[in-house]
Amino acid sequence: MSGTVISLHKTPEPVPGPAGTVTALTVVPDPPPALPVPLWVRSGRAVRAAVTHENTRSAARLLARHSLYVAGGARIVAKRTWDGRTAARYERMLRAAEAAGNYEVAAEWEERGQRYREARHRRRMDLLRSPVDAAKGAAVGTGMGVGTLVALGVVLAIANKDATDVVTPLMAVIEFIRLLIVIVQVVWGPLISLGPFLALLALWAVGSKQQAAPAWALPAAVRSGEGEPITPSVVVKALRDLGVPALRNAIKEMGDAGAAMLGPIRIAGCGVEVDVTLPSGVSTNEVQGKRRKLAENLTRHEHEVFITIPQAARTVRLWIADSGALDEPIGPSPLVTDETMTADYAKGRAPWGQDLRGDAALLSLYQRHLLITGLSNQGKTVALRSLALWLALDKSVQFLMGDLKGVGDWAMFDGLARVLIQGPTDEHVIQVTEMVEGAVDEMNRRLMAPPGTVFPALIVLVDEAQVAFMCPLKDDEGRYYGGSKATSRYFMAVRKIHNQGRAVNVLMWQGTQDPTDQNLPKLVREGAHTRASLALGTESQARMALGDKAVDGGAAPNLLRPGLDQGTLVVASSGIEIPKGQSSITVRTHYVDDDAAKAIIDRAKALRDGVTTLTVIDCGAERDPLADISSVLGDASRVLTADVLKRLTALHSDAYGDWTPGDLKRVLEDAGAEPYKSDGRMVVARERVTRALANRANRDTAGSASTAE
């Protein structure tokens, strides 16, 4: 065995050795002891921590703020004094009017400044003559006063029979003057000592009221700007810092009188409204294009500032919301709170919600096709349904409904709508297409009526209409159900109603989402009289939804916040009151949930006779006229023959669209259920039709039994 070397250490580490040898241990030296931190380093760290501590910074800001309040107050008082003693104010207003291009106002301010200078000159000349006049007046007054006192003393001496009383009044006056001098001597010293402090306190009060300190020195609540009131100076500063060189230079030339651009700041709902007349060389679209920056300059979020173009030239109208006000919900719909409410299709207006001013947004639906679009899950169906719920309270209005989402949003209309198709499949698209084509047949029938005939409103409503436009199926003749060509069935049916339907009160209402040229063709969207849009993704989509005129006038549904501004619509329509000069209005719609909608529909059903709602439109099958008549009668005991014909046409326009009252009478008489007069009008009795069907069934059963024998 070969020799080995073994070393003992505190932390030995084995090292592999050759075979047959003892493994040696190597020494791992301990790390050197840490050097003590010098005292000056520790002191420096402590000082740095103390200096950068939030309490220290707050104290420093507090000291700087109140010191700077005094300086700011002195500046404000000096400026006010200078304005009061000179014509600087008139010069500023003159420059502001010239910069704004308002030369009539500029001439008026020049005239005012000239009158001020003339009055100041007269005052100064009066001051030059005042010492002589004052001396003369003092001499005369002193002589008269002494004479009066002596005369009073003589009277007093005669009365008291004491000659020394002659000077008593004069000595009393002298003693009073001496007392005043003593008082002044006593007060003068403390007044001289306290005077500067009182002056500084007054300057501090002025500065603190005007927040005359740099932003970094102001309190956190003021620095954040949350809830900062909108004043003329705030609006002018926001416009000045907008990044438009011509606007910035014009405001600089105006000095502090940039507020001359502003009209009165008016309270408008949950915010304020102000018209801004832009200086020459600044266009309205330059301000519109910087909405986000303007909102941030006003310490608001982008969605809290709306810029529209009023009727006046070179003017923008700013509506600025109170901070956070648009995130608060509006009140419930009058449809929910007023159970006695009814509707009037021709003269009434639907309570849709509130505009930004807080006024009720009322929409007329009379002879107006309707289009509502927006991104998914923004409240489109609820907004569209609210209008239908109101109109359902007019018992003369009829509905044909197609819900191509099919999740039950319109299920409460079962029993009120004449047709209700619900589902997202291609088969449902076929059914909806045939429903709209049936409405076209009804429209054509009405157009053949004598001039002056008044027809009840027929609302053809299709929700999620983009599903119909995108349907790829063809019919037996090779025509597409979807698409936007002249051979596309749904597209052509909608176009026909848009072209002629309003004249006979056949109206097309559509709700779509995420509009494109493919799922919402141009001719269809241009055919709607009332166009409304919820939040959209791009400006091009906004133009599709509302049209170029509305977007060029300030409509910006693409700036609404998806998910946060649910139910907020930008509306372009002649059926709603829009401020003069604007082309659109923003409406926050009422939310009517499913339970409330069911209650409203129950009230609407109570106003009507029973309506049988068709959920499937049969095509191509051989019809049973008597069975179809029974089905359209519903639960009503009797129905007018004219209404029976309308319901049969809606059931199957190809089979019954050409029927006359004579055809209906012939079928019923053959079945033994002939119509009769009630209150002077021909009606069909449900009991007679039911009995006729039962008798026919009995005859068929008896005939089958005899054949079997």
Side-chain angles (χ1 to χ4, degrees):
M1 180 174 174
S2 59
T4 61
V5 178
I6 300 176
S7 301
L8 299 178
H9 305 279
K10 290 183 178 179
T11 54
E13 292 187 4
V15 178
T21 64
V22 178
T23 303
L25 299 177
T26 61
V27 178
V28 178
D30 294 333
L35 296 176
V37 179
L39 179 61
W40 64 270
V41 174
R42 294 199 301 271
S43 301
R45 291 174 179 172
V47 170
R48 181 181 179 184
V51 170
T52 58
H53 195 275
E54 183 59 31
N55 291 341
T56 305
R57 298 171 67 180
S58 299
R61 278 197 298 266
L62 179 67
L63 180 61
R65 177 167 65 251
H66 290 285
S67 301
L68 292 170
Y69 279 165
V70 176
R75 176 178 54 80
I76 294 171
V77 170
K79 186 176 182 302
R80 291 175 179 174
T81 303
W82 178 259
D83 287 345
R85 303 292 296 175
T86 68
R89 178 185 293 109
Y90 302 95
E91 293 293 336
R92 282 200 309 273
M93 300 302 292
L94 173 61
R95 291 196 302 272
E98 289 178 344
N102 197 339
Y103 297 106
E104 293 182 1
V105 176
E108 181 181 348
W109 280 111
E110 184 178 13
E111 183 181 353
R112 290 185 181 182
Q114 187 62 34
R115 290 200 301 266
Y116 171 80
R117 293 186 183 93
E118 292 175 357
R120 183 180 61 184
H121 176 71
R122 288 195 300 269
R123 289 195 302 270
R124 287 177 177 176
M125 296 305 296
D126 292 341
L127 286 175
L128 292 176
R129 294 190 297 267
S130 61
V132 177
D133 295 339
K136 292 180 180 179
V140 173
T142 301
M144 293 180 62
V146 171
T148 303
L149 292 174
V150 171
L152 183 62
V154 171
V155 173
L156 188 62
I158 294 173
N160 294 334
K161 299 178 181 181
D162 187 355
T164 59
D165 286 343
V166 173
V167 296
T168 297
L170 187 61
M171 295 304 297
V173 172
I174 294 173
E175 182 64 22
F176 177 72
I177 294 173
R178 187 191 68 81
L179 179 61
L180 290 179
I181 293 173
V182 172
I183 293 174
V184 170
Q185 288 176 342
V186 173
V187 175
W188 186 254
L191 187 62
I192 292 297
S193 301
L194 294 176
F197 294 101
L198 294 176
L200 290 175
L201 182 61
L203 295 176
W204 175 89
V206 173
S208 63
K209 185 176 181 180
Q210 299 294 327
Q211 298 290 329
W216 60 265
L218 295 175
V222 178
R223 290 199 308 273
S224 66
E226 291 295 333
E228 182 179 356
I230 300 300
T231 61
S233 61
V234 169
V235 177
V236 170
K237 289 178 182 177
L239 293 170
R240 182 194 64 195
D241 299 335
L242 202 55
V244 180
L247 181 59
R248 182 179 62 250
N249 295 334
I251 292 176
K252 284 183 178 179
E253 292 178 4
M254 298 177 192
D256 291 338
M261 299 186 304
L262 309 182
I265 297 180
R266 306 175 294 273
I267 296 177
C270 57
V272 296
E273 187 178 73
V274 59
D275 287 350
V276 181
T277 302
L278 300 176
S280 179
V282 182
S283 63
T284 54
N285 61 354
E286 288 182 283
V287 177
Q288 277 187 303
K290 294 181 177 291
R291 175 183 171 185
R292 173 174 294 182
K293 190 169 186 179
L294 178 62
E296 292 172 349
N297 290 347
L298 293 167
T299 65
R300 297 294 191 271
H301 297 291
E302 184 178 11
H303 71 278
E304 294 176 329
V305 174
F306 289 81
I307 306 173
T308 54
I309 309 299
Q311 193 171 15
R314 212 172 68 232
T315 303
V316 293
R317 178 168 294 162
L318 307 180
W319 186 85
I320 307 160
D322 299 333
S323 291
L326 294 184
D327 296 327
E328 298 293 330
I330 64 173
S333 171
L335 291 171
V336 177
T337 58
D338 185 2
E339 295 185 356
T340 63
M341 175 176 284
T342 58
D344 186 340
Y345 161 72
K347 298 179 181 179
R349 290 177 178 263
W352 211 6
Q354 293 180 0
D355 61 18
L356 296 179
R357 299 173 62 89
D359 299 329
L362 305 176
L363 180 66
S364 172
L365 303 173
Y366 179 65
Q367 292 189 345
R368 289 179 175 87
H369 302 303
L370 176 68
L371 172 65
I372 299 180
T373 187
L375 297 178
S376 177
N377 195 32
Q378 298 305 308
K380 166 180 55 62
T381 297
V382 172
L384 183 60
R385 190 176 67 184
S386 296
L387 298 177
L389 289 172
W390 177 80
L391 201 54
L393 296 174
D394 183 341
K395 63 181 181 180
S396 68
V397 177
Q398 304 167 4
F399 291 94
L400 305 179
M401 291 185 168
D403 175 16
L404 293 177
K405 184 190 297 182
V407 296
D409 290 333
W410 299 89
M412 67 285 301
F413 281 85
D414 190 0
L416 187 141
R418 286 166 49 184
V419 177
L420 176 60
I421 298 168
Q422 302 178 87
T425 66
D426 291 337
E427 287 72 18
H428 292 100
V429 172
I430 295 173
Q431 295 286 320
V432 167
T433 302
E434 292 169 348
M435 176 191 78
V436 178
E437 290 174 338
V440 173
D441 294 337
E442 170 65 13
M443 176 190 73
N444 293 331
R445 185 186 68 80
R446 293 182 176 190
L447 290 171
M448 298 301 292
T453 304
V454 178
F455 296 97
L458 176 62
I459 306 300
V460 186
L461 189 152
V462 180
D463 195 12
E464 305 296 342
Q466 75 279 355
V467 178
F469 285 113
M470 300 301 290
C471 180
L473 295 186
K474 295 181 181 180
D475 62 10
D476 297 337
E477 299 177 1
R479 294 183 301 166
Y480 283 101
Y481 286 95
S484 57
K485 297 182 180 179
T487 57
S488 301
R489 292 180 60 178
Y490 180 80
F491 170 76
M492 289 306 298
V494 172
R495 286 295 299 142
K496 289 175 182 178
I497 294 177
H498 278 175
N499 290 337
Q500 296 179 299
R502 65 181 298 271
V504 289
N505 289 327
V506 177
L507 303 178
M508 191 74 207
W509 289 11
Q510 295 183 96
T512 71
Q513 65 175 332
D514 202 9
T516 65
D517 284 328
Q518 289 72 39
N519 65 25
L520 187 59
K522 178 179 176 61
L523 291 178
V524 170
R525 58 182 187 253
E526 295 292 340
H529 303 101
T530 296
R531 300 167 71 174
S533 175
L534 296 111
L536 289 173
T538 63
E539 182 179 326
S540 62
Q541 287 184 316
R543 292 184 181 275
M544 291 181 191
L546 300 176
D548 292 335
K549 181 180 179 181
V551 174
D552 291 339
N558 52 302
L559 297 181
L560 295 174
R561 302 168 298 166
L564 298 176
D565 290 326
Q566 288 182 326
T568 300
L569 288 160
V570 182
V571 184
S573 173
S574 60
I576 192 170
E577 185 176 351
I578 297 177
K580 192 174 182 180
Q582 295 180 203
S583 55
S584 64
I585 189 172
T586 301
V587 175
R588 304 172 68 198
T589 58
H590 295 295
Y591 177 73
V592 181
D593 60 25
D594 291 348
D595 293 337
K598 293 175 183 177
I600 296 169
I601 290 299
D602 289 341
R603 285 156 42 197
K605 290 178 180 178
L607 300 174
R608 306 164 182 251
D609 294 329
V611 175
T612 301
T613 298
L614 306 179
T615 57
V616 176
I617 299 177
D618 296 328
C619 302
E622 183 177 353
R623 309 301 307 182
D624 181 350
L626 189 61
D628 287 344
I629 292 171
S630 177
S631 67
V632 300
L633 289 177
D635 297 330
S637 60
R638 58 181 181 270
V639 179
L640 295 174
T641 55
D643 290 341
V644 174
L645 287 172
K646 293 177 184 177
R647 296 180 187 183
L648 289 172
T649 301
L651 177 64
H652 199 288
S653 60
D654 292 338
Y656 303 114
D658 297 330
W659 269 34
T660 65
D663 296 325
L664 177 62
K665 182 179 180 181
R666 174 179 51 78
V667 171
L668 292 173
E669 287 180 345
D670 291 344
E674 61 277 357
Y676 63 94
K677 280 191 175 182
S678 175
D679 296 330
R681 305 183 68 182
M682 296 300 294
V683 297
V684 177
R686 179 171 58 87
E687 182 183 0
R688 294 187 179 185
V689 175
T690 303
R691 185 170 61 248
L693 284 172
N695 292 337
R696 187 179 68 178
N698 292 335
R699 288 196 300 271
D700 293 342
T701 302
S704 299
S706 61
T707 302
E709 292 176 358

